Amino acid sequence: MSRLVAFAAIQGGYNIVSKAEGTLKRAIEEYGPDKKLEFPNTAYYLPIIYSILGIPVKTLGDATGVMEITRKLLPAHIKGKNHLPYLGPLLDAGMAALFAEEIVEAVRYITNPDFYYVSEECDPENGKIWLGAAEDTVFRKRGVEFVDGTAPGFAAIVGAAPTPEIAKNIAEEYQKRNLYVFMCANQNGTTFTEQLIQAGVQVGWNTRLVPFSPEINGAVFALGFANRAAMAFGGIKPGDYKNILLYNKDRVFAFVNAFGDVNAEWAVNAAGCVNWGFPTIADTDIPEILPTGVCTYEHVVGNVAHEDIVNRSIEIRGLKVTVATIDIPLAYGAAFEGERVRKDDLYLELGGGKTQAVEWVTMKGMNEVEDGKVELFGPDVADVKPGSRLPLAIVVEVAGRNFQEDFEPILERQIHHLINYAQGIMHIGQRDISWVRVSKQAVEKGFSLKHIGTILHGKLHQDFGSVFDKVQVKLYTEKDKVDELTATARKIYQTRDQRVETMTDEAVETYYSCTLCQSFAPTHVCMVSPERTGLCGAYNWMDCRASYQINPTGPNQPVEKGECLNPVLGNWKGVNDFVYKASRQKVSSYNFYSLMQEPMSTCGCCECIAAVLPTCNGVMTVNRDYTGETPSGMKFTTLAGVMGGGASSPGFVGHSKYNIIQGKYILGDGGLLRMVWMPKILKEELKEKLIKRGEALGYPNLIDMIADETVGITEEAIMPFLQEKGHPALSMPPITG
Amino acid sequence: MAEIVKKKDEAPEKAAKLVNPDSVSVDPATIIMLKKAQRDGIETIFDRAETMKPCNIGAEGICCKNCAQGPCRLPLTKKIKDGLEPDKRMGLCGATPETIAARNFARMVASGAAAHSDHGRGIAQVFLAAARKETGDYQIKDTRKLLQIAPDFGVATTVMDGDVEKQRSIDEIAVEVGQKALAEWGKQNGEIVYAKRAPKPRYDLWKKLDVIPRGIDREIVEIMHRTHMGVDQDYENITKQCTRAALADGWAGSMIATDLSDVMFGTPYPLHGEINLGVLKQDHVNMIVHGHDPLLSEMIVVAAQSKDMLDYAKGKGAKGIVLAGMCCTANEILVRHGMPIAGNYLQQELAIITGAVDAMVVDVQCVMENLANVAMCYHTKLITTDPRAKIISGETVHIEFDEHHAFEDAKKIVMTAIDNFTNRRADVLIPKQKEQMVVGFSYEAINYHLGGTFRGSYTPLNDNIINGRIRGIGGVVGCNNARTMHDSAHLIVVKELLKNDVIVLTTGCNAMACGKAGLLTPDAAQVYCGPGLAEVCETVGIPPVLHMGSCVDNSRILMAATEVVKAGGLGKDISDLPAAGCAPEWMSEKAISIGQYFVASGVYTLFGVMLPVTGAPKFQKHLFEDMEGIYGGKWDLVEDPYEMAAKMIAHIDLKRKALGIDKARDRVLMDMADRRAMEA
Ligand code: SF4
Ligand code: SF4
Ligand code: SF4
Ligand code: SF4
């Protein structure tokens, strides 16, 4: 039976490659070989070809060379009797097909630029469904979820389910398990994506249901995404195909679900995926390939019933996922976090400007808390008409022997995503600017505001159970009470902030490591001190400390900083020893406060990257969300490509946004006064704090001296500006030492 | 005492002269030809095996002819054997049965290692000549393989051009590899370079035991010295030297021969082939190349396919030229070019008896002198080509083959065959039998076919061994032996292994036995294999028996075993693998050398027919038991092929148990914490 698969797939490979040759030839005839060939906003060229062959395809002409390699990769057809071995050739044919398809898809961006909607979200009302290749900003934002484990993998769905209902159920099951669903191809013109839309499901990156393409070629977008992860987070060099693919096999838990008849072209794509270790699970009676080896377990499994396909697929891929079991009438999981409640769907709105909403976690005595108790004071959803507004206060009272006041903000920060995980409920903001939207669909399913309490009780216990014993939740929807609680909470926020802001590295003996990202960047170790928050922005020192207490063998370990070897650069013996071990002997020493000398390593999921600008005698930093060029000559994504994957690269360092306004920020190189360029959005975001830091450093108008893209995107262009403003960096000692 | 002759019924004295064809081979073509031989009144090895019985004392290894005071014969009496009488046997000089058997055994190792290694030396010399462009007839063809092996010889493959690293010229690399390779023969001290290819624990063990060969020739010469009258009279110490010489064969002489042949003629990748006497064609010029050295056969392949030779043949009324191989020469040109095979060792006389062979061209090893007598009865020209291997009997012609004008020589040989086509006589009988095969599984090819260009590795093999679909690996190799039914034991052992989900790697005349029986086809998997192995074969599209080449290509099995170790999950050394090797119908001294290097590499190695050690119980125990404690591999002698397979499987199961893979394992489901804990 494998022979039949091989026979058909290799045939499919020939079809795809021949078609691609034609497409490329016509494109060259029309646009010339020098025409730029690219996916939108990426530093990874055509990512499959780039990662596997190491060839950066930049023009139609470059693609010709790759097409030749592709053609050569196609194996001989399989004879019926007494055939030669076919597994290796089959996988080669698969790879050839993917190269060819990637070129075809890139050409499509030239010949039919409106085919794909370059966006993170779909716009089904206007018929803009198909998203095509993810831009690097999207890739990084979503890739980080693969890295930190919030998304354990993805299901690449090919074809269409028998009915929209079945499609919806399957998608929801994957969402509940936090997996991404990447969709492509059609079955006689019907697509899984359109089925979902028909069934009223929101699609797009934000709900993790990503419509790549109505054609099978769209498979390359999923695999290109995976290979970018290997390069960006795994630090694997383009062209090191073996490790790129093994990285995917071992760390990216993806698989293919084929719905409907599998034709030769689907088969060769499935074969291509096997190179990645991604098996295919189908709902039709296709020849199975069960022996293991290239994939971790089975390679092709057929005839799986729709109600089993989600669990079977996950098991076949060797993935362990836990479904959150929260006793509410709504589906629940990280995938629903990004789902919107739009105006038309809105039933009830709490907070968000029109009414006040606040959330507050507070510690109580053991006898003051009855675990699991949820009380609602004021009207519930059922008591109001559709389209109503109410104020809201969520008070979470926690008690337990291990609980400390310091954990309050950590638990409080969970409220946002924990509520957001419920399907049909949207949560925005935090603290006293919190905002909850409840959809009509949620109300139809029987949602009550008390379920917010159920969610918080259940999930906080699940994730933080080791630091407290009891939790109870009080919800208020009466204006007076909400206003009163808001006032109380505000005072507390202020004291908390002061505590965090005034903490210094000198004041503690213990730092915390973070190796959460080692699932993707196996040699990367973050070291988090009070004045050097984790470079991803997600973890500060207090978080790490709490996380250690919650899970003493987890990714955050206390590290005695030990003898200080260099106070200016921020170098400690204890830290170095730990890093050496935890980086698996890859990094022996790094500095907390320098980008010029042995800077900290970066895993690729940093919020910002700072780079030296030698001509300006200063540094610049750029945040992940800014897609434009920078004076370093590289976009964020190129910078991240240069230094991601756990390497320490002098002249560059990854850091969090918040770190910029912390006192020790690149102090070894002169501190914040070196900052000569930042993207405008970043300046805006940090405005208040930047002004405050400037004042503290004796330059109250520092923020105005820092150039941005409106001033220029080259060193030469911003230099006159800096001179005119009298930027302090210009008079500092040479940064290049 | 080993029962040596086992197949014949006790026939009355007179009729004993003519063998019953059906009782000596399982191969139909062979039986048909034996019947023709009898009709034609030709005596073959099969007949002589009937009339001439082996000497028991020699067969037990306890006859010493090493000085002129002998032969000293030390038969093992029943009383000694049963412990009723002390073993006081000794030769004139006092040599014990152990010393004598060990010395005899050592000389077999020396001869076998010499045969392989001298073959290898020839390849290395021509390789160097080709690299230096001293001969235009041979080229450096497989540069990928050259670059792959260069680092083993410490030959740089890149050069610095200022700051940039550049690929070094292929010619330069080839010359240096050639020089370094050739130096392996004459080295006096140090270590053969390929020893380091073995898994690290194996290398360390050899180092600790001080058995790493210093130079190929040296170890062979040293055996000859040590076994001279009155030198090494400690059978354990002699065995140790056997190890050195054998390792110098497997991990140097043979391995270099394989590698350099690959570079010159191409690394084998799977291709189609045909086997058995049915490949000969009535209306074609039929040439058989027989022997071992690819230097000759490769060139004859080119010559026989050249247009002027084809035209010449047509001029003589032939439709074309069939060039078929015999013995390991056959394997060499089969696995590289898909040239047909006429048959294995015991079919060499029979090929001539078809009356259709216009020339049989031979070089070295396994060429029976009786070919000359048989050839005289037909029109066949027997042509010797190697100055080291001439035949005086019959009307044998010698056309010396010199690599400096190899192509010219080859043409001369082909022309001789063509000229002889017109001398064909009426009585031609070509049996119909021929089988299809898929062959050419170098360890590189296995690697490729288990995952393609991008994911090729041995992991899928290991994985399916670990999950139990494949129970283990069996190496079944070696000759035919006229003392046992032709091909019978080969096929029984192989089929038993397959039935029990043991995948089989094969070389030499076993490969041909398998080929003739249809075991080298992908379809054989469904017919002969247990369900697990069948499923894996089906997935990869391979036959269940992988033909890896000639006898020197047993080095490929060593490398495959090493790759399996490196792929992980099956222990740290070859001796940890669920694997065993055997030679059910061995006869050549080369087999003894091969056996010894497999044992010393950690493999349980079983021989059929006989082993000339049974008259010296302590020495036998040393080989059959003590060796396992030292090397993790040991010798065994099992005549019954069913029992042989059973013992191999039992050994495989033992190793599986030691590895903890004897029980079904649960699927491991990974969460993020598991992924973080993974090795970088
Ligand atoms: S702190 Fe560092 S290791 Fe931890 S999650 Fe953030 S980037 Fe990853
Ligand atoms: S082996 Fe020894 S005993 Fe036997 S025949 Fe030869 S010389 Fe005589
Ligand atoms: S070496 Fe010893 S045992 Fe051998 S033949 Fe001479 S005397 Fe006899
Ligand atoms: S297997 Fe034995 S008989 Fe056959 S060619 Fe090799 S050495 Fe000769």
Side-chain angles (χ1 to χ4, degrees):
Chain A
M1 289 306 262
S2 296
R3 188 179 64 76
L4 297 179
V5 178
F7 179 83
I10 290 173
Q11 189 58 54
Y14 273 94
N15 296 348
I16 288 172
V17 172
S18 302
K19 271 194 273 176
E21 285 167 340
T23 304
L24 181 62
K25 194 164 155 261
R26 281 192 302 277
I28 291 178
E29 278 162 11
E30 195 172 338
Y31 301 94
D34 297 330
K35 174 79 181 172
K36 246 186 158 182
L37 186 65
E38 59 182 0
F39 287 141
N41 304 318
T42 177
Y44 297 97
Y45 310 99
L46 310 193
I48 298 180
I49 291 168
Y50 183 52
S51 57
I52 300 292
L53 299 175
I55 300 174
V57 173
K58 296 176 196 161
T59 63
L60 285 170
D62 293 345
T64 317
V66 175
M67 259 342 290
E68 280 163 21
I69 298 174
T70 304
R71 170 60 67 176
K72 278 200 205 115
L73 207 50
L74 283 176
H77 290 285
I78 301 296
K79 270 207 338 186
K81 234 185 120 47
N82 208 31
H83 52 76
L84 296 179
Y86 41 63
L87 179 64
L90 171 62
L91 299 190
D92 284 0
M95 189 61 90
L98 293 168
F99 290 164
E101 288 171 340
E102 198 174 43
I103 290 173
V104 169
E105 287 307 304
V107 170
R108 201 201 292 271
Y109 275 95
I110 300 176
T111 55
N112 192 357
D114 295 331
F115 191 88
Y116 293 121
Y117 184 43
V118 181
S119 163
E120 197 174 347
E121 288 173 45
C122 304
D123 183 3
E125 279 88 56
N126 295 306
K128 292 175 173 168
I129 301 173
W130 306 109
L131 299 180
E135 297 167 277
D136 278 357
T137 38
V138 177
F139 151 68
R140 291 210 172 260
K141 181 161 142 204
R142 303 297 165 171
V144 169
E145 297 175 353
F146 284 82
V147 177
D148 67 16
T150 38
F154 67 79
I157 290 189
V158 178
T163 67
E165 257 328 288
I166 294 176
K168 179 174 178 228
N169 288 341
I170 290 170
E172 245 170 47
E173 288 304 310
Y174 281 128
Q175 283 179 306
K176 280 191 211 164
R177 287 162 181 77
N178 306 339
L179 273 86
Y180 272 83
V181 175
F182 292 161
M183 297 172 280
C184 71
N186 65 80
Q187 191 63 248
N188 302 319
T190 313
T191 67
F192 200 88
T193 301
E194 285 156 319
Q195 289 180 316
L196 290 181
I197 294 172
Q198 216 182 318
V201 179
Q202 284 180 31
V203 294
W205 281 98
N206 48 329
T207 53
R208 302 195 177 185
L209 305 174
V210 189
F212 275 142
S213 172
E215 294 176 14
I216 184 68
N217 287 3
V220 298
F221 300 130
L223 297 169
F225 182 91
N227 280 12
R228 280 192 275 173
M231 291 184 283
F233 304 116
I236 304 174
K237 294 278 158 280
D240 183 2
Y241 56 81
K242 205 149 223 172
N243 285 314
I244 295 264
L245 296 171
L246 283 177
Y247 180 93
N248 275 289
K249 176 188 176 226
D250 293 339
R251 294 172 194 273
V252 179
F253 281 65
F255 51 85
V256 181
N257 278 168
F259 291 110
D261 296 334
V262 175
N263 63 27
E265 300 193 357
W266 284 22
V268 75
N269 274 277
C273 290
V274 170
N275 280 298
W276 272 252
F278 301 165
T280 293
I281 300 94
D283 64 347
T284 51
D285 189 12
I286 54 170
E288 301 197 312
I289 304 180
L290 303 179
T292 65
V294 189
C295 297
T296 309
Y297 297 106
E298 296 83 352
H299 296 84
V300 181
V301 178
N303 237 345
V304 179
H306 294 115
E307 48 291 7
D308 301 334
I309 202 158
V310 170
N311 281 329
R312 277 286 278 152
S313 299
I314 287 170
E315 185 189 300
I316 286 164
R317 185 61 185 91
L319 177 62
K320 181 152 73 195
V321 285
T322 32
V323 187
T325 44
I326 297 293
D327 189 20
I328 55 168
L330 308 176
Y332 190 85
F336 302 109
E337 186 180 359
E339 171 210 41
R340 303 291 152 87
V341 174
R342 296 202 180 87
K343 264 229 167 70
D344 298 346
D345 298 330
L346 187 61
Y347 189 94
L348 170 64
E349 187 165 34
L350 309 108
K354 302 271 167 43
T355 54
Q356 173 58 26
V358 65
E359 51 204 33
W360 175 36
V361 172
T362 179
M363 180 167 143
K364 289 273 166 175
M366 278 295 268
N367 46 14
E368 292 171 278
V369 180
E370 183 187 326
D371 189 45
K373 185 159 141 200
V374 179
E375 291 168 289
L376 171 65
F377 305 96
D380 198 348
V381 245
D383 306 326
V384 299
K385 286 203 284 297
S388 302
R389 290 201 175 87
L390 285 172
L392 176 69
I394 304 172
V395 181
V396 181
E397 297 175 337
V398 191
R401 265 158 297 135
N402 298 329
F403 201 71
Q404 309 171 10
E405 229 169 90
D406 283 347
F407 297 161
E408 289 175 352
I410 294 167
L411 261 52
E412 198 173 282
R413 240 181 298 147
Q414 313 301 317
I415 295 177
H416 165 67
H417 71 262
L418 292 183
I419 295 181
N420 235 343
Y421 280 8
Q423 192 183 28
I425 311 294
M426 184 166 111
H427 182 284
I428 299 166
Q430 17 65 33
R431 288 187 166 181
D432 54 346
I433 51 163
S434 128
W435 178 8
V436 177
R437 283 182 148 194
V438 179
S439 70
K440 288 176 187 157
Q441 291 85 339
V443 177
E444 266 163 40
K445 286 185 183 159
F447 178 77
S448 146
L449 287 178
K450 284 178 111 178
H451 289 128
I452 291 181
T454 317
I455 293 170
L456 294 177
H457 169 258
K459 285 299 286 181
L460 289 175
H461 260 297
Q462 234 173 57
D463 300 345
F464 296 88
S466 54
V467 290
F468 67 83
D469 299 317
K470 300 193 215 169
V471 59
Q472 68 185 17
V473 181
K474 293 180 175 147
L475 299 145
Y476 301 87
T477 51
E478 290 151 336
K479 187 167 183 314
D480 297 354
K481 198 68 193 155
V482 171
D483 287 344
E484 182 195 322
L485 282 162
T486 305
T488 319
R490 277 188 182 139
K491 269 188 226 126
I492 308 236
Y493 298 149
Q494 221 177 0
T495 8
R496 276 188 201 159
D497 287 352
Q498 261 161 14
R499 251 175 64 71
V500 172
E501 278 163 28
T502 50
M503 274 189 76
T504 61
D505 285 0
E506 289 80 5
V508 299
E509 282 313 311
T510 309
Y511 295 162
Y512 286 90
S513 65
C514 184
T515 50
L516 199 62
C517 287
Q518 288 201 342
S519 58
F520 270 64
T523 61
H524 174 71
V525 204
C526 267
M527 200 52 84
V528 180
S529 71
E531 292 179 275
R532 183 85 163 79
T533 48
L535 51 83
C536 57
Y539 295 86
N540 68 27
W541 184 83
M542 297 258 254
D543 298 323
C544 293
R545 190 173 64 135
S547 143
Y548 167 65
Q549 266 150 351
I550 293 158
N551 178 7
T553 56
N556 299 107
Q557 291 296 316
V559 178
E560 286 296 317
K561 61 185 184 182
E563 187 192 340
C564 181
L565 302 176
N566 190 328
V568 182
L569 298 175
N571 195 288
W572 291 271
K573 185 161 185 314
V575 170
N576 289 343
D577 291 349
F578 184 92
V579 168
Y580 184 63
K581 244 179 64 198
S583 71
R584 296 159 154 120
Q585 289 80 44
K586 285 282 163 13
V587 180
S588 55
S589 160
Y590 61 43
N591 295 318
F592 278 51
Y593 314 140
S594 177
L595 88 164
M596 292 308 293
Q597 301 177 47
E598 294 191 339
M600 245 187 218
S601 62
T602 300
C603 56
C605 61
C606 44
E607 278 188 309
C608 303
I609 295 175
V612 64
L613 296 179
T615 315
C616 300
N617 200 35
V619 302
M620 54 149 278
T621 194
V622 53
N623 54 320
R624 195 155 70 202
D625 325 290
Y626 173 78
T627 53
E629 294 291 347
T630 75
S632 68
M634 289 180 266
K635 297 178 186 175
F636 177 88
T637 174
T638 318
L639 280 166
V642 172
M643 53 178 309
S648 168
S649 354
F652 303 92
V653 73
H655 58 81
S656 67
K657 291 179 187 168
Y658 182 73
N659 188 229
I660 300 173
I661 47 87
Q662 287 188 290
K664 294 284 196 315
Y665 179 68
I666 59 167
L667 204 57
D669 309 317
L672 186 63
L673 294 181
R674 283 283 189 192
M675 185 64 71
V676 298
W677 190 93
M678 286 163 86
K680 209 174 164 70
I681 36 166
L682 185 57
K683 277 207 292 192
E684 284 302 318
E685 193 179 332
L686 298 174
K687 193 167 180 181
E688 256 173 67
K689 290 177 177 131
L690 273 175
I691 294 171
K692 254 172 82 185
R693 272 299 291 157
E695 278 166 7
L697 293 167
Y699 289 86
N701 61 339
L702 180 65
I703 184 160
D704 304 320
M705 297 174 152
I706 301 176
D708 58 33
E709 67 273 25
T710 60
V711 178
I713 48 166
T714 61
E715 288 204 61
E716 292 67 39
I718 63 169
M719 198 56 180
F721 172 87
L722 301 175
Q723 279 159 342
E724 183 202 311
K725 298 275 173 183
H727 194 290
L730 300 180
S731 49
M732 288 166 87
I735 191 161
T736 44
Chain B
M1 198 195 304
E3 234 267 83
I4 293 154
V5 184
K6 48 170 302 229
K7 55 177 192 279
K8 320 285 153 49
D9 14 302
E10 300 299 317
E13 188 57 335
K14 248 192 164 173
K17 285 233 165 74
L18 278 190
V19 74
N20 170 11
D22 292 312
S23 70
V24 291
S25 178
V26 294
D27 171 38
T30 298
I31 294 168
I32 292 169
M33 291 322 294
L34 277 174
K35 289 181 178 159
K36 178 169 192 286
Q38 289 176 354
R39 283 198 304 275
D40 294 355
I42 309 294
E43 192 195 66
T44 65
I45 185 168
F46 292 92
D47 300 306
R48 287 187 294 276
E50 200 77 350
T51 47
M52 187 170 80
K53 298 297 167 196
C55 156
N56 263 341
I57 301 172
E60 293 184 1
I62 37 176
C63 160
C64 181
K65 311 183 289 297
N66 293 12
C67 87
Q69 304 167 95
C72 296
R73 302 172 301 165
L74 276 51
L76 178 63
T77 61
K78 192 160 171 3
K79 278 194 177 146
I80 299 175
K81 206 174 165 191
D82 296 344
L84 303 173
E85 220 172 61
D87 189 354
K88 289 189 187 151
R89 294 174 293 160
M90 57 176 79
L92 249 58
C93 63
T96 63
E98 275 63 44
T99 299
I100 291 171
R103 288 199 298 220
N104 290 340
F105 186 82
R107 287 190 167 200
M108 293 179 86
V109 171
S111 163
H116 283 149
S117 299
D118 210 32
H119 162 176
R121 181 204 324 273
I123 303 275
Q125 281 170 328
V126 172
F127 179 90
L128 188 54
R132 288 183 174 141
K133 311 240 182 297
E134 291 164 6
T135 158
D137 295 341
Y138 298 94
Q139 281 96 32
I140 304 303
K141 187 164 157 191
D142 191 340
T143 50
R144 194 160 99 190
K145 177 108 187 196
L146 177 68
L147 295 175
Q148 177 191 321
I149 65 172
D152 289 320
F153 288 103
V155 174
T157 53
T158 55
V159 278
M160 295 307 287
D161 181 9
D163 282 345
V164 271
E165 204 173 351
K166 283 196 335 187
Q167 160 88 51
R168 198 175 164 201
S169 105
I170 288 293
D171 290 340
E172 259 178 62
I173 299 173
V175 169
E176 203 183 328
V177 165
Q179 286 166 333
K180 295 235 164 100
L182 197 53
E184 291 289 278
W185 274 264
K187 267 191 344 204
Q188 302 305 321
N189 290 307
E191 296 173 358
I192 53 158
V193 296
Y194 279 179
K196 284 225 167 71
R197 276 190 176 181
K200 179 90 178 25
R202 183 62 24 188
Y203 172 84
D204 290 343
L205 176 70
W206 289 337
K207 183 123 190 138
K208 194 179 99 208
L209 296 169
D210 186 25
V211 293
I212 300 183
R214 295 154 291 191
I216 299 167
D217 288 348
R218 173 172 182 172
E219 306 306 350
I220 296 166
V221 169
E222 193 170 310
I223 284 191
M224 297 316 286
H225 174 196
R226 287 205 202 186
T227 55
H228 180 275
M229 190 270 148
V231 186
D232 201 352
Q233 290 156 125
D234 170 347
Y235 64 92
E236 292 185 6
N237 203 36
I238 295 171
T239 311
K240 183 171 158 185
Q241 182 58 23
C242 290
T243 299
R244 285 205 190 100
L247 291 178
D249 173 358
W251 292 89
S254 284
M255 202 174 269
I256 294 173
T258 298
D259 282 351
L260 299 187
S261 298
D262 283 354
V263 177
M264 282 194 287
F265 310 126
T267 304
Y269 274 85
L271 41 71
H272 294 111
E274 278 185 346
I275 187 164
N276 217 342
L277 293 169
V279 303
L280 300 176
K281 291 186 181 148
Q282 175 94 36
D283 50 8
H284 280 55
V285 172
N286 291 309
M287 271 184 85
I288 288 185
V289 274
H290 172 24
H292 280 77
D293 197 332
L295 292 173
L296 168 73
S297 48
E298 282 283 338
M299 215 35 73
I300 292 187
V301 169
V302 180
Q305 289 172 345
S306 70
K307 183 160 185 311
D308 49 338
M309 284 299 116
L310 285 171
D311 289 346
Y312 188 65
K314 284 184 187 141
K316 297 277 175 184
K319 287 233 171 81
I321 303 173
V322 169
L323 177 66
M326 201 119 221
C327 277
C328 280
T329 274
N331 286 329
E332 298 270 0
I333 56 175
L334 168 73
V335 296
R336 294 206 179 88
H337 306 289
M339 301 304 282
I341 294 190
N344 51 2
Y345 168 75
L346 278 180
Q347 292 176 284
Q348 51 187 284
E349 298 159 306
L350 309 178
I352 298 178
I353 292 168
T354 60
V357 174
D358 303 301
M360 182 177 274
V361 187
V362 302
D363 54 25
V364 291
Q365 301 165 25
C366 305
V367 178
M368 292 190 217
E369 188 164 357
N370 193 50
L371 288 177
N373 305 322
V374 179
M376 279 223 295
C377 307
Y378 298 88
H379 81 299
T380 307
K381 279 249 178 330
L382 181 64
I383 306 169
T384 54
T385 54
D386 192 299
R388 295 167 295 189
K390 295 189 174 183
I391 294 177
I392 197 159
S393 309
E395 295 160 355
T396 311
V397 270
H398 186 75
I399 305 179
E400 194 147 317
F401 182 75
D402 180 331
E403 65 268 10
H404 292 99
H405 26 81
F407 186 59
E408 283 314 305
D409 292 347
K411 270 205 234 30
K412 213 185 299 168
I413 293 165
V414 176
M415 262 163 94
T416 313
I418 297 171
D419 286 336
N420 198 28
F421 177 70
T422 46
N423 298 331
R424 284 257 185 102
R425 299 172 196 172
D427 187 19
V428 169
L429 174 65
I430 301 174
K432 295 267 167 305
Q433 282 74 13
K434 63 175 174 184
E435 261 300 334
Q436 299 295 312
M437 315 180 271
V438 173
V439 302
F441 291 89
S442 57
Y443 75 88
E444 293 92 338
I446 297 177
N447 192 72
Y448 168 77
H449 276 288
L450 290 176
T453 304
F454 303 96
R455 285 290 309 282
S457 83
Y458 276 70
T459 308
L461 173 62
N462 286 27
D463 236 46
N464 285 292
I465 293 176
I466 293 166
N467 68 31
R469 278 196 180 85
I470 299 177
R471 193 156 171 175
I473 305 171
V476 187
V477 304
C479 325
N480 291 141
N481 187 316
R483 298 286 178 202
T484 178
M485 194 178 197
H486 175 225
D487 288 350
S488 162
H490 278 314
L491 296 178
I492 291 169
V493 172
V494 170
K495 286 178 188 169
E496 283 298 302
L497 292 177
L498 296 182
K499 198 163 83 190
N500 288 285
D501 292 315
V502 176
I503 191 166
V504 174
L505 307 180
T506 179
T507 61
C509 287
N510 172 272
M512 301 185 214
C514 292
K516 286 183 285 177
L519 294 173
L520 302 185
T521 61
D523 290 348
Q526 301 311 318
V527 183
Y528 296 101
C529 298
L533 178 58
E535 197 178 14
V536 175
C537 290
E538 155 86 38
T539 297
V540 188
I542 45 170
V545 181
L546 301 182
H547 186 336
M548 299 186 78
S550 64
C551 300
V552 289
D553 291 337
N554 281 316
S555 62
R556 296 193 203 273
I557 299 185
L558 293 176
M559 288 309 295
T562 302
E563 290 299 316
V564 171
V565 172
K566 285 192 189 146
L570 293 173
K572 299 237 166 318
D573 195 353
I574 297 173
S575 53
D576 298 331
L577 301 177
C582 69
E585 301 181 24
W586 81 281
M587 66 88 196
S588 154
E589 288 167 311
K590 290 179 287 176
I592 295 290
S593 176
I594 294 169
Q596 181 72 7
Y597 72 64
F598 268 102
V599 169
S601 299
V603 181
Y604 175 40
T605 305
L606 302 89
F607 271 42
V609 195
M610 58 86 83
L611 267 177
V613 299
T614 44
K618 277 193 269 178
F619 176 55
Q620 179 174 349
K621 179 179 164 290
H622 184 63
L623 296 182
F624 288 24
E625 292 172 26
D626 306 350
M627 291 281 273
E628 186 162 40
I630 306 172
Y631 294 102
K634 62 179 177 188
W635 282 89
D636 206 349
L637 166 63
V638 185
E639 289 168 51
D640 175 14
Y642 290 99
E643 192 193 333
M644 181 178 269
K647 283 185 110 170
M648 291 172 79
I649 292 163
H651 179 80
I652 283 169
D653 287 348
L654 220 71
K655 293 290 176 188
R656 291 189 68 89
K657 191 154 185 218
L659 289 166
I661 56 170
D662 50 334
K663 290 182 266 310
R665 286 212 250 184
D666 285 342
R667 188 179 289 256
V668 184
L669 300 181
M670 306 270 287
D671 62 13
M672 289 309 284
D674 300 325
R675 275 184 251 179
R676 276 192 288 277
M678 251 174 348
E679 278 300 305

